[in-house]
Amino acid sequence: MSILSDIAELVQKGKAQEVSDLVSQALAEGIPPQQILDEGLLKGMGELGVRFKNNEVFVPEVLIAARALNKGTETLKATLVAGDIKAIGKVVIATVSGDLHDIGKNLVKLMLEGAGFEVVDLGTDVSGEKIVAAINENNPDVVALSALLTTTMSAQSEVIKAIVDAGLRDKVKIIVGGAPITDAFAKEIGADGYSEDASGAADIAKQLIR
Ligand code: B1M
């Protein structure tokens, strides 16, 4: 389907407005949002990721592409997220300390919102201390932690420790994810749930609050 490959290519070129326009066009043509996400937006970022790894493109190009991808997912959001439904629960979400990657986190947020959760997004590079403060302030049912670097995986464990130390562990369920995270790692650090992808994270959050 050429519109999807066009989206993938425009993500790599960082053409935010064109990406957004083509996503709207794809939706108008009746292409399912999940397919636009997987075969257009994420395919583009996946291909760029390979070129990044091979030193064919560098941080600025990847940042511009990330902005284009985020703009595309924003355009999808209206379709993926239902309107005026009562929230089924509240989630505090963050990318952990030392980690600036937010595309996966944003997708998890989108899927959680689509599943009916209210989501408090603390952004990237978030410390355990800030997460503890956000739990006290927002009283969430679930804390969702993302990490994309092998060097920041351990920060997920530090957040869980901070939550335990603050005496809040019984008050929240904790889910973790991100490319280097595995189910075994999640269990090892004492998380309640793990998913390798964003829609799975929303399913697990729903199961955990049941
Ligand atoms: Co970064 N980066 N990056 N980067 N970057 C990776 C992750 C890397 C694999 C690239 C590579 O070398 N092949 C590599 C990590 C190596 C490692 O640790 N093993 C890497 C590196 C090394 C770095 C820097 C150190 C590079 C440098 O400066 N020399 C630096 C670190 C900065 C920092 O964070 N302190 C860096 C910087 C950047 C940019 C800023 C340029 C940019 C981020 C922009 C942004 O996010 N706004 C960037 C990007 C875009 C990437 C790649 C290309 C793409 C990541 C991405 O967004 N993928 C990435 C290579 C790759 O993955 N192919 C790479 C799409 C996204 C949808 O997938 O985030 O995995 P992902 O989310 C998935 C799942 O993981 C899951 O759901 C999503 C799919 O449905 N998921 C969860 C994520 N969070 C979840 C939470 C859950 C459940 C599921 O529950 C709570």
Side-chain angles (χ1 to χ4, degrees), residues 42 49 52-53 59 62-63 66 98-104 107-108 144-146 148-150 175-179 195-198 201:
L42 294 184
F52 185 43
K53 190 176 181 180
V59 170
V62 181
L63 267 179
D99 201 322
L100 300 174
H101 295 85
D102 69 355
I103 297 171
L107 275 181
V108 174
L145 305 172
S146 181
L148 257 286
L149 300 168
T150 43
I175 60 173
V176 294
S195 165
E196 66 175 2
D197 60 31

PDB file of all heavy atoms in Angstrom, residues 42 49 52-53 59 62-63 66 98-104 107-108 144-146 148-150 175-179 195-198 201, ligand 1:
ATOM      1  N   LEU A  42       5.753   3.510  12.381  1.00  0.00           N
ATOM      2  CA  LEU A  42       6.800   2.756  13.076  1.00  0.00           C
ATOM      3  C   LEU A  42       7.764   2.098  12.107  1.00  0.00           C
ATOM      4  O   LEU A  42       8.957   1.933  12.403  1.00  0.00           O
ATOM      5  CB  LEU A  42       6.177   1.711  14.007  1.00  0.00           C
ATOM      6  CG  LEU A  42       5.394   2.294  15.182  1.00  0.00           C
ATOM      7  CD1 LEU A  42       4.902   1.193  16.103  1.00  0.00           C
ATOM      8  CD2 LEU A  42       6.230   3.291  15.967  1.00  0.00           C
ATOM      9  N   GLY A  49      16.185   3.700  12.366  1.00  0.00           N
ATOM     10  CA  GLY A  49      16.962   3.137  13.475  1.00  0.00           C
ATOM     11  C   GLY A  49      18.135   2.303  12.970  1.00  0.00           C
ATOM     12  O   GLY A  49      19.232   2.371  13.525  1.00  0.00           O
ATOM     13  N   PHE A  52      20.682   4.670  11.727  1.00  0.00           N
ATOM     14  CA  PHE A  52      21.307   5.325  12.897  1.00  0.00           C
ATOM     15  C   PHE A  52      22.407   4.415  13.459  1.00  0.00           C
ATOM     16  O   PHE A  52      23.538   4.841  13.724  1.00  0.00           O
ATOM     17  CB  PHE A  52      20.206   5.576  13.930  1.00  0.00           C
ATOM     18  CG  PHE A  52      20.604   6.349  15.164  1.00  0.00           C
ATOM     19  CD1 PHE A  52      21.406   7.480  15.098  1.00  0.00           C
ATOM     20  CD2 PHE A  52      20.122   5.972  16.413  1.00  0.00           C
ATOM     21  CE1 PHE A  52      21.730   8.202  16.244  1.00  0.00           C
ATOM     22  CE2 PHE A  52      20.435   6.682  17.563  1.00  0.00           C
ATOM     23  CZ  PHE A  52      21.251   7.797  17.471  1.00  0.00           C
ATOM     24  N   LYS A  53      22.064   3.142  13.580  1.00  0.00           N
ATOM     25  CA  LYS A  53      23.012   2.167  14.118  1.00  0.00           C
ATOM     26  C   LYS A  53      24.250   2.053  13.221  1.00  0.00           C
ATOM     27  O   LYS A  53      25.366   1.905  13.696  1.00  0.00           O
ATOM     28  CB  LYS A  53      22.308   0.809  14.219  1.00  0.00           C
ATOM     29  CG  LYS A  53      23.112  -0.207  14.981  1.00  0.00           C
ATOM     30  CD  LYS A  53      22.349  -1.494  15.132  1.00  0.00           C
ATOM     31  CE  LYS A  53      23.171  -2.493  15.912  1.00  0.00           C
ATOM     32  NZ  LYS A  53      22.459  -3.746  16.073  1.00  0.00           N
ATOM     33  N   VAL A  59      22.146  11.998  15.345  1.00  0.00           N
ATOM     34  CA  VAL A  59      21.115  12.425  16.298  1.00  0.00           C
ATOM     35  C   VAL A  59      20.161  13.495  15.730  1.00  0.00           C
ATOM     36  O   VAL A  59      18.948  13.358  15.868  1.00  0.00           O
ATOM     37  CB  VAL A  59      21.772  12.876  17.628  1.00  0.00           C
ATOM     38  CG1 VAL A  59      20.766  13.541  18.544  1.00  0.00           C
ATOM     39  CG2 VAL A  59      22.399  11.670  18.335  1.00  0.00           C
ATOM     40  N   VAL A  62      17.565  11.980  13.500  1.00  0.00           N
ATOM     41  CA  VAL A  62      16.658  11.092  14.239  1.00  0.00           C
ATOM     42  C   VAL A  62      15.675  11.920  15.072  1.00  0.00           C
ATOM     43  O   VAL A  62      14.490  11.588  15.171  1.00  0.00           O
ATOM     44  CB  VAL A  62      17.457  10.109  15.132  1.00  0.00           C
ATOM     45  CG1 VAL A  62      16.522   9.179  15.868  1.00  0.00           C
ATOM     46  CG2 VAL A  62      18.420   9.288  14.281  1.00  0.00           C
ATOM     47  N   LEU A  63      16.164  13.024  15.631  1.00  0.00           N
ATOM     48  CA  LEU A  63      15.285  13.894  16.418  1.00  0.00           C
ATOM     49  C   LEU A  63      14.179  14.491  15.551  1.00  0.00           C
ATOM     50  O   LEU A  63      13.014  14.547  15.961  1.00  0.00           O
ATOM     51  CB  LEU A  63      16.104  15.042  17.007  1.00  0.00           C
ATOM     52  CG  LEU A  63      16.660  14.845  18.399  1.00  0.00           C
ATOM     53  CD1 LEU A  63      17.459  16.069  18.815  1.00  0.00           C
ATOM     54  CD2 LEU A  63      15.523  14.603  19.399  1.00  0.00           C
ATOM     55  N   ALA A  66      11.737  11.869  14.821  1.00  0.00           N
ATOM     56  CA  ALA A  66      10.916  11.583  16.007  1.00  0.00           C
ATOM     57  C   ALA A  66       9.785  12.596  16.121  1.00  0.00           C
ATOM     58  O   ALA A  66       8.646  12.254  16.453  1.00  0.00           O
ATOM     59  CB  ALA A  66      11.788  11.629  17.261  1.00  0.00           C
ATOM     60  N   GLY A  98      17.854   9.579  33.063  1.00  0.00           N
ATOM     61  CA  GLY A  98      18.967   9.397  32.142  1.00  0.00           C
ATOM     62  C   GLY A  98      18.547   9.031  30.734  1.00  0.00           C
ATOM     63  O   GLY A  98      19.382   8.911  29.841  1.00  0.00           O
ATOM     64  N   ASP A  99      17.234   8.875  30.521  1.00  0.00           N
ATOM     65  CA  ASP A  99      16.742   8.390  29.223  1.00  0.00           C
ATOM     66  C   ASP A  99      15.805   9.414  28.589  1.00  0.00           C
ATOM     67  O   ASP A  99      14.824   9.830  29.216  1.00  0.00           O
ATOM     68  CB  ASP A  99      16.007   7.063  29.445  1.00  0.00           C
ATOM     69  CG  ASP A  99      15.897   6.233  28.183  1.00  0.00           C
ATOM     70  OD1 ASP A  99      15.698   6.832  27.107  1.00  0.00           O
ATOM     71  OD2 ASP A  99      16.008   5.011  28.264  1.00  0.00           O
ATOM     72  N   LEU A 100      16.137   9.814  27.350  1.00  0.00           N
ATOM     73  CA  LEU A 100      15.361  10.867  26.686  1.00  0.00           C
ATOM     74  C   LEU A 100      14.403  10.323  25.624  1.00  0.00           C
ATOM     75  O   LEU A 100      13.718  11.079  24.955  1.00  0.00           O
ATOM     76  CB  LEU A 100      16.323  11.866  26.027  1.00  0.00           C
ATOM     77  CG  LEU A 100      17.291  12.556  26.991  1.00  0.00           C
ATOM     78  CD1 LEU A 100      18.295  13.407  26.231  1.00  0.00           C
ATOM     79  CD2 LEU A 100      16.528  13.410  28.001  1.00  0.00           C
ATOM     80  N   HIS A 101      14.381   9.005  25.442  1.00  0.00           N
ATOM     81  CA  HIS A 101      13.525   8.416  24.397  1.00  0.00           C
ATOM     82  C   HIS A 101      12.064   8.480  24.832  1.00  0.00           C
ATOM     83  O   HIS A 101      11.723   7.971  25.898  1.00  0.00           O
ATOM     84  CB  HIS A 101      13.922   6.968  24.148  1.00  0.00           C
ATOM     85  CG  HIS A 101      15.303   6.821  23.586  1.00  0.00           C
ATOM     86  ND1 HIS A 101      16.418   6.776  24.392  1.00  0.00           N
ATOM     87  CD2 HIS A 101      15.739   6.719  22.312  1.00  0.00           C
ATOM     88  CE1 HIS A 101      17.493   6.661  23.628  1.00  0.00           C
ATOM     89  NE2 HIS A 101      17.126   6.620  22.359  1.00  0.00           N
ATOM     90  N   ASP A 102      11.213   9.091  23.992  1.00  0.00           N
ATOM     91  CA  ASP A 102       9.813   9.190  24.426  1.00  0.00           C
ATOM     92  C   ASP A 102       8.792   8.684  23.418  1.00  0.00           C
ATOM     93  O   ASP A 102       7.589   8.744  23.663  1.00  0.00           O
ATOM     94  CB  ASP A 102       9.477  10.627  24.852  1.00  0.00           C
ATOM     95  CG  ASP A 102       9.448  11.613  23.696  1.00  0.00           C
ATOM     96  OD1 ASP A 102       9.768  11.226  22.564  1.00  0.00           O
ATOM     97  OD2 ASP A 102       9.096  12.780  23.951  1.00  0.00           O
ATOM     98  N   ILE A 103       9.246   8.174  22.291  1.00  0.00           N
ATOM     99  CA  ILE A 103       8.267   7.758  21.270  1.00  0.00           C
ATOM    100  C   ILE A 103       7.468   6.546  21.758  1.00  0.00           C
ATOM    101  O   ILE A 103       6.244   6.516  21.663  1.00  0.00           O
ATOM    102  CB  ILE A 103       8.977   7.459  19.937  1.00  0.00           C
ATOM    103  CG1 ILE A 103       9.637   8.745  19.417  1.00  0.00           C
ATOM    104  CG2 ILE A 103       7.989   6.919  18.911  1.00  0.00           C
ATOM    105  CD1 ILE A 103      10.541   8.543  18.226  1.00  0.00           C
ATOM    106  N   GLY A 104       8.186   5.556  22.313  1.00  0.00           N
ATOM    107  CA  GLY A 104       7.507   4.369  22.839  1.00  0.00           C
ATOM    108  C   GLY A 104       6.581   4.731  23.985  1.00  0.00           C
ATOM    109  O   GLY A 104       5.432   4.285  24.042  1.00  0.00           O
ATOM    110  N   LEU A 107       3.484   6.254  22.741  1.00  0.00           N
ATOM    111  CA  LEU A 107       2.568   5.259  22.170  1.00  0.00           C
ATOM    112  C   LEU A 107       1.834   4.498  23.261  1.00  0.00           C
ATOM    113  O   LEU A 107       0.638   4.237  23.148  1.00  0.00           O
ATOM    114  CB  LEU A 107       3.351   4.244  21.334  1.00  0.00           C
ATOM    115  CG  LEU A 107       3.645   4.631  19.901  1.00  0.00           C
ATOM    116  CD1 LEU A 107       4.412   3.506  19.228  1.00  0.00           C
ATOM    117  CD2 LEU A 107       2.343   4.882  19.147  1.00  0.00           C
ATOM    118  N   VAL A 108       2.571   4.148  24.320  1.00  0.00           N
ATOM    119  CA  VAL A 108       1.934   3.455  25.447  1.00  0.00           C
ATOM    120  C   VAL A 108       0.844   4.361  26.022  1.00  0.00           C
ATOM    121  O   VAL A 108      -0.277   3.927  26.281  1.00  0.00           O
ATOM    122  CB  VAL A 108       2.971   3.065  26.527  1.00  0.00           C
ATOM    123  CG1 VAL A 108       2.284   2.482  27.756  1.00  0.00           C
ATOM    124  CG2 VAL A 108       3.975   2.061  25.972  1.00  0.00           C
ATOM    125  N   ALA A 144       3.610   3.404  35.023  1.00  0.00           N
ATOM    126  CA  ALA A 144       4.155   2.778  33.808  1.00  0.00           C
ATOM    127  C   ALA A 144       5.515   3.391  33.496  1.00  0.00           C
ATOM    128  O   ALA A 144       5.630   4.614  33.359  1.00  0.00           O
ATOM    129  CB  ALA A 144       3.193   2.996  32.647  1.00  0.00           C
ATOM    130  N   LEU A 145       6.541   2.533  33.407  1.00  0.00           N
ATOM    131  CA  LEU A 145       7.913   3.025  33.222  1.00  0.00           C
ATOM    132  C   LEU A 145       8.508   2.517  31.919  1.00  0.00           C
ATOM    133  O   LEU A 145       8.481   1.314  31.640  1.00  0.00           O
ATOM    134  CB  LEU A 145       8.788   2.541  34.385  1.00  0.00           C
ATOM    135  CG  LEU A 145       8.298   2.897  35.786  1.00  0.00           C
ATOM    136  CD1 LEU A 145       9.159   2.187  36.833  1.00  0.00           C
ATOM    137  CD2 LEU A 145       8.346   4.413  35.991  1.00  0.00           C
ATOM    138  N   SER A 146       9.086   3.445  31.155  1.00  0.00           N
ATOM    139  CA  SER A 146       9.720   3.082  29.895  1.00  0.00           C
ATOM    140  C   SER A 146      11.226   3.340  29.981  1.00  0.00           C
ATOM    141  O   SER A 146      11.664   4.306  30.616  1.00  0.00           O
ATOM    142  CB  SER A 146       9.105   3.933  28.773  1.00  0.00           C
ATOM    143  OG  SER A 146       9.661   3.605  27.534  1.00  0.00           O
ATOM    144  N   LEU A 148      14.766   2.810  27.229  1.00  0.00           N
ATOM    145  CA  LEU A 148      15.210   2.373  25.900  1.00  0.00           C
ATOM    146  C   LEU A 148      16.691   2.004  25.831  1.00  0.00           C
ATOM    147  O   LEU A 148      17.159   1.480  24.830  1.00  0.00           O
ATOM    148  CB  LEU A 148      14.932   3.493  24.886  1.00  0.00           C
ATOM    149  CG  LEU A 148      13.727   3.330  23.973  1.00  0.00           C
ATOM    150  CD1 LEU A 148      13.971   2.304  22.898  1.00  0.00           C
ATOM    151  CD2 LEU A 148      12.506   2.927  24.764  1.00  0.00           C
ATOM    152  N   LEU A 149      17.420   2.333  26.872  1.00  0.00           N
ATOM    153  CA  LEU A 149      18.864   2.102  26.842  1.00  0.00           C
ATOM    154  C   LEU A 149      19.230   1.007  27.841  1.00  0.00           C
ATOM    155  O   LEU A 149      18.639   0.940  28.924  1.00  0.00           O
ATOM    156  CB  LEU A 149      19.615   3.389  27.211  1.00  0.00           C
ATOM    157  CG  LEU A 149      19.382   4.597  26.302  1.00  0.00           C
ATOM    158  CD1 LEU A 149      19.950   5.867  26.943  1.00  0.00           C
ATOM    159  CD2 LEU A 149      20.012   4.373  24.935  1.00  0.00           C
ATOM    160  N   THR A 150      20.197   0.200  27.480  1.00  0.00           N
ATOM    161  CA  THR A 150      20.650  -0.816  28.444  1.00  0.00           C
ATOM    162  C   THR A 150      21.182  -0.115  29.705  1.00  0.00           C
ATOM    163  O   THR A 150      21.063  -0.645  30.800  1.00  0.00           O
ATOM    164  CB  THR A 150      21.745  -1.713  27.828  1.00  0.00           C
ATOM    165  OG1 THR A 150      22.652  -0.894  27.111  1.00  0.00           O
ATOM    166  CG2 THR A 150      21.163  -2.723  26.876  1.00  0.00           C
ATOM    167  N   ILE A 175       4.047  -1.293  35.885  1.00  0.00           N
ATOM    168  CA  ILE A 175       4.373  -2.015  34.646  1.00  0.00           C
ATOM    169  C   ILE A 175       5.591  -1.377  33.998  1.00  0.00           C
ATOM    170  O   ILE A 175       5.804  -0.164  34.106  1.00  0.00           O
ATOM    171  CB  ILE A 175       3.179  -2.079  33.661  1.00  0.00           C
ATOM    172  CG1 ILE A 175       2.700  -0.682  33.239  1.00  0.00           C
ATOM    173  CG2 ILE A 175       2.025  -2.859  34.247  1.00  0.00           C
ATOM    174  CD1 ILE A 175       1.640  -0.734  32.134  1.00  0.00           C
ATOM    175  N   VAL A 176       6.397  -2.215  33.363  1.00  0.00           N
ATOM    176  CA  VAL A 176       7.628  -1.717  32.739  1.00  0.00           C
ATOM    177  C   VAL A 176       7.719  -2.207  31.292  1.00  0.00           C
ATOM    178  O   VAL A 176       7.104  -3.209  30.930  1.00  0.00           O
ATOM    179  CB  VAL A 176       8.889  -2.176  33.515  1.00  0.00           C
ATOM    180  CG1 VAL A 176       8.946  -1.550  34.902  1.00  0.00           C
ATOM    181  CG2 VAL A 176       8.974  -3.694  33.613  1.00  0.00           C
ATOM    182  N   GLY A 177       8.489  -1.482  30.496  1.00  0.00           N
ATOM    183  CA  GLY A 177       8.698  -1.887  29.111  1.00  0.00           C
ATOM    184  C   GLY A 177       9.765  -1.036  28.462  1.00  0.00           C
ATOM    185  O   GLY A 177      10.379  -0.179  29.102  1.00  0.00           O
ATOM    186  N   GLY A 178       9.990  -1.309  27.179  1.00  0.00           N
ATOM    187  CA  GLY A 178      11.056  -0.635  26.427  1.00  0.00           C
ATOM    188  C   GLY A 178      11.932  -1.700  25.782  1.00  0.00           C
ATOM    189  O   GLY A 178      11.990  -2.829  26.269  1.00  0.00           O
ATOM    190  N   ALA A 179      12.594  -1.323  24.691  1.00  0.00           N
ATOM    191  CA  ALA A 179      13.304  -2.312  23.874  1.00  0.00           C
ATOM    192  C   ALA A 179      14.232  -3.274  24.641  1.00  0.00           C
ATOM    193  O   ALA A 179      14.208  -4.468  24.360  1.00  0.00           O
ATOM    194  CB  ALA A 179      14.064  -1.590  22.763  1.00  0.00           C
ATOM    195  N   SER A 195       5.222  -5.611  29.137  1.00  0.00           N
ATOM    196  CA  SER A 195       4.746  -5.879  27.778  1.00  0.00           C
ATOM    197  C   SER A 195       5.812  -5.434  26.806  1.00  0.00           C
ATOM    198  O   SER A 195       6.509  -4.451  27.051  1.00  0.00           O
ATOM    199  CB  SER A 195       3.457  -5.112  27.507  1.00  0.00           C
ATOM    200  OG  SER A 195       3.209  -5.094  26.118  1.00  0.00           O
ATOM    201  N   GLU A 196       5.916  -6.164  25.688  1.00  0.00           N
ATOM    202  CA  GLU A 196       6.927  -5.743  24.713  1.00  0.00           C
ATOM    203  C   GLU A 196       6.393  -4.656  23.797  1.00  0.00           C
ATOM    204  O   GLU A 196       7.152  -4.019  23.083  1.00  0.00           O
ATOM    205  CB  GLU A 196       7.451  -6.935  23.920  1.00  0.00           C
ATOM    206  CG  GLU A 196       6.414  -7.584  23.036  1.00  0.00           C
ATOM    207  CD  GLU A 196       7.007  -8.678  22.168  1.00  0.00           C
ATOM    208  OE1 GLU A 196       8.205  -8.946  22.282  1.00  0.00           O
ATOM    209  OE2 GLU A 196       6.239  -9.258  21.388  1.00  0.00           O
ATOM    210  N   ASP A 197       5.069  -4.445  23.812  1.00  0.00           N
ATOM    211  CA  ASP A 197       4.559  -3.373  22.955  1.00  0.00           C
ATOM    212  C   ASP A 197       3.479  -2.548  23.652  1.00  0.00           C
ATOM    213  O   ASP A 197       3.027  -2.890  24.743  1.00  0.00           O
ATOM    214  CB  ASP A 197       4.071  -3.926  21.602  1.00  0.00           C
ATOM    215  CG  ASP A 197       2.955  -4.928  21.773  1.00  0.00           C
ATOM    216  OD1 ASP A 197       2.195  -4.790  22.733  1.00  0.00           O
ATOM    217  OD2 ASP A 197       2.852  -5.848  20.941  1.00  0.00           O
ATOM    218  N   ALA A 198       3.097  -1.468  22.976  1.00  0.00           N
ATOM    219  CA  ALA A 198       2.220  -0.489  23.615  1.00  0.00           C
ATOM    220  C   ALA A 198       0.813  -1.029  23.846  1.00  0.00           C
ATOM    221  O   ALA A 198       0.227  -0.809  24.913  1.00  0.00           O
ATOM    222  CB  ALA A 198       2.169   0.783  22.750  1.00  0.00           C
ATOM    223  N   ALA A 201       0.743  -3.257  26.753  1.00  0.00           N
ATOM    224  CA  ALA A 201       0.846  -2.529  28.028  1.00  0.00           C
ATOM    225  C   ALA A 201      -0.536  -2.105  28.502  1.00  0.00           C
ATOM    226  O   ALA A 201      -0.860  -2.207  29.691  1.00  0.00           O
ATOM    227  CB  ALA A 201       1.753  -1.303  27.853  1.00  0.00           C
TER     228      ALA A 201
HETATM  229 CO1  B1M B   1      18.511   6.464  20.680  1.00  0.00          CO
HETATM  230  N1  B1M B   1      19.226   4.650  20.913  1.00  0.00           N
HETATM  231  N2  B1M B   1      20.068   7.172  21.606  1.00  0.00           N
HETATM  232  N3  B1M B   1      17.797   8.185  20.168  1.00  0.00           N
HETATM  233  N4  B1M B   1      17.376   5.566  19.489  1.00  0.00           N
HETATM  234  C1  B1M B   1      18.399   3.553  20.429  1.00  0.00           C
HETATM  235  C2  B1M B   1      17.442   3.074  21.529  1.00  0.00           C
HETATM  236  C3  B1M B   1      19.497   2.473  20.019  1.00  0.00           C
HETATM  237  C4  B1M B   1      18.973   1.019  20.086  1.00  0.00           C
HETATM  238  C5  B1M B   1      20.058   2.846  18.617  1.00  0.00           C
HETATM  239  C6  B1M B   1      21.146   1.897  18.166  1.00  0.00           C
HETATM  240  O1  B1M B   1      22.256   2.074  18.483  1.00  0.00           O
HETATM  241  N5  B1M B   1      20.768   0.882  17.423  1.00  0.00           N
HETATM  242  C7  B1M B   1      20.606   2.779  21.048  1.00  0.00           C
HETATM  243  C8  B1M B   1      20.512   2.036  22.389  1.00  0.00           C
HETATM  244  C9  B1M B   1      21.566   0.965  22.536  1.00  0.00           C
HETATM  245  C10 B1M B   1      21.412   0.278  23.840  1.00  0.00           C
HETATM  246  O2  B1M B   1      21.351   0.872  24.894  1.00  0.00           O
HETATM  247  N6  B1M B   1      21.345  -1.023  23.762  1.00  0.00           N
HETATM  248  C11 B1M B   1      20.445   4.272  21.212  1.00  0.00           C
HETATM  249  C12 B1M B   1      21.463   5.147  21.672  1.00  0.00           C
HETATM  250  C13 B1M B   1      22.811   4.498  21.906  1.00  0.00           C
HETATM  251  C14 B1M B   1      21.246   6.521  21.889  1.00  0.00           C
HETATM  252  C15 B1M B   1      22.255   7.560  22.366  1.00  0.00           C
HETATM  253  C16 B1M B   1      23.183   7.116  23.505  1.00  0.00           C
HETATM  254  C17 B1M B   1      23.027   8.009  21.103  1.00  0.00           C
HETATM  255  C18 B1M B   1      24.106   9.041  21.318  1.00  0.00           C
HETATM  256  O3  B1M B   1      23.862  10.109  21.786  1.00  0.00           O
HETATM  257  N7  B1M B   1      25.273   8.609  20.968  1.00  0.00           N
HETATM  258  C19 B1M B   1      21.346   8.731  22.825  1.00  0.00           C
HETATM  259  C20 B1M B   1      20.926   8.604  24.295  1.00  0.00           C
HETATM  260  C21 B1M B   1      20.123   9.802  24.751  1.00  0.00           C
HETATM  261  C22 B1M B   1      19.462   9.551  26.103  1.00  0.00           C
HETATM  262  O4  B1M B   1      18.382   9.020  26.163  1.00  0.00           O
HETATM  263  N8  B1M B   1      20.142   9.922  27.183  1.00  0.00           N
HETATM  264  C23 B1M B   1      20.177   8.502  21.924  1.00  0.00           C
HETATM  265  C24 B1M B   1      19.381   9.536  21.457  1.00  0.00           C
HETATM  266  C25 B1M B   1      18.296   9.371  20.611  1.00  0.00           C
HETATM  267  C26 B1M B   1      17.509  10.540  20.026  1.00  0.00           C
HETATM  268  C27 B1M B   1      17.311  11.690  21.021  1.00  0.00           C
HETATM  269  C28 B1M B   1      18.220  11.037  18.813  1.00  0.00           C
HETATM  270  C29 B1M B   1      16.189   9.810  19.565  1.00  0.00           C
HETATM  271  C30 B1M B   1      15.060   9.870  20.611  1.00  0.00           C
HETATM  272  C31 B1M B   1      14.008  10.891  20.259  1.00  0.00           C
HETATM  273  C32 B1M B   1      12.762  10.717  21.070  1.00  0.00           C
HETATM  274  O5  B1M B   1      12.441   9.656  21.599  1.00  0.00           O
HETATM  275  N9  B1M B   1      12.051  11.808  21.156  1.00  0.00           N
HETATM  276  C33 B1M B   1      16.655   8.369  19.455  1.00  0.00           C
HETATM  277  C34 B1M B   1      15.933   7.362  18.742  1.00  0.00           C
HETATM  278  C35 B1M B   1      14.685   7.814  18.007  1.00  0.00           C
HETATM  279  C36 B1M B   1      16.349   6.003  18.713  1.00  0.00           C
HETATM  280  C37 B1M B   1      15.835   4.857  17.846  1.00  0.00           C
HETATM  281  C38 B1M B   1      16.337   5.108  16.434  1.00  0.00           C
HETATM  282  C39 B1M B   1      14.346   4.661  17.776  1.00  0.00           C
HETATM  283  C40 B1M B   1      13.664   4.508  19.143  1.00  0.00           C
HETATM  284  C41 B1M B   1      12.168   4.580  18.957  1.00  0.00           C
HETATM  285  O6  B1M B   1      11.583   5.596  19.226  1.00  0.00           O
HETATM  286  N10 B1M B   1      11.593   3.508  18.392  1.00  0.00           N
HETATM  287  C42 B1M B   1      16.476   3.600  18.551  1.00  0.00           C
HETATM  288  C43 B1M B   1      16.838   2.482  17.575  1.00  0.00           C
HETATM  289  C44 B1M B   1      15.687   1.527  17.388  1.00  0.00           C
HETATM  290  O7  B1M B   1      14.902   1.288  18.292  1.00  0.00           O
HETATM  291  N11 B1M B   1      15.591   0.965  16.236  1.00  0.00           N
HETATM  292  C45 B1M B   1      17.524   4.193  19.397  1.00  0.00           C
HETATM  293  C46 B1M B   1      10.150   3.459  18.079  1.00  0.00           C
HETATM  294  C47 B1M B   1       9.379   3.182  19.397  1.00  0.00           C
HETATM  295  C48 B1M B   1       7.904   3.021  19.095  1.00  0.00           C
HETATM  296  O8  B1M B   1       9.859   1.967  19.909  1.00  0.00           O
HETATM  297  O9  B1M B   1      10.603   3.038  22.078  1.00  0.00           O
HETATM  298  O10 B1M B   1      11.116   0.595  21.565  1.00  0.00           O
HETATM  299  P1  B1M B   1      10.239   1.780  21.443  1.00  0.00           P
HETATM  300  O11 B1M B   1       8.812   1.398  22.094  1.00  0.00           O
HETATM  301  C49 B1M B   1       8.191   0.154  21.797  1.00  0.00           C
HETATM  302  C50 B1M B   1       8.493  -0.922  22.825  1.00  0.00           C
HETATM  303  O12 B1M B   1       9.793  -0.870  23.358  1.00  0.00           O
HETATM  304  C51 B1M B   1       7.390  -0.776  23.824  1.00  0.00           C
HETATM  305  O13 B1M B   1       6.284  -0.256  23.081  1.00  0.00           O
HETATM  306  C52 B1M B   1       6.720   0.390  21.888  1.00  0.00           C
HETATM  307  C53 B1M B   1       6.066  -0.276  20.667  1.00  0.00           C
HETATM  308  O14 B1M B   1       4.748  -0.518  20.780  1.00  0.00           O
HETATM  309  N12 B1M B   1       7.567   0.074  24.990  1.00  0.00           N
HETATM  310  C54 B1M B   1       6.882  -0.223  26.125  1.00  0.00           C
HETATM  311  C55 B1M B   1       8.270   1.195  25.204  1.00  0.00           C
HETATM  312  N13 B1M B   1       8.073   1.642  26.437  1.00  0.00           N
HETATM  313  C56 B1M B   1       7.211   0.790  27.033  1.00  0.00           C
HETATM  314  C57 B1M B   1       6.638   0.791  28.312  1.00  0.00           C
HETATM  315  C58 B1M B   1       5.753  -0.259  28.622  1.00  0.00           C
HETATM  316  C59 B1M B   1       5.478  -1.249  27.719  1.00  0.00           C
HETATM  317  C60 B1M B   1       6.003  -1.249  26.445  1.00  0.00           C
HETATM  318  O15 B1M B   1       5.150  -0.345  29.799  1.00  0.00           O
HETATM  319  C61 B1M B   1       5.226   0.728  30.691  1.00  0.00           C
END
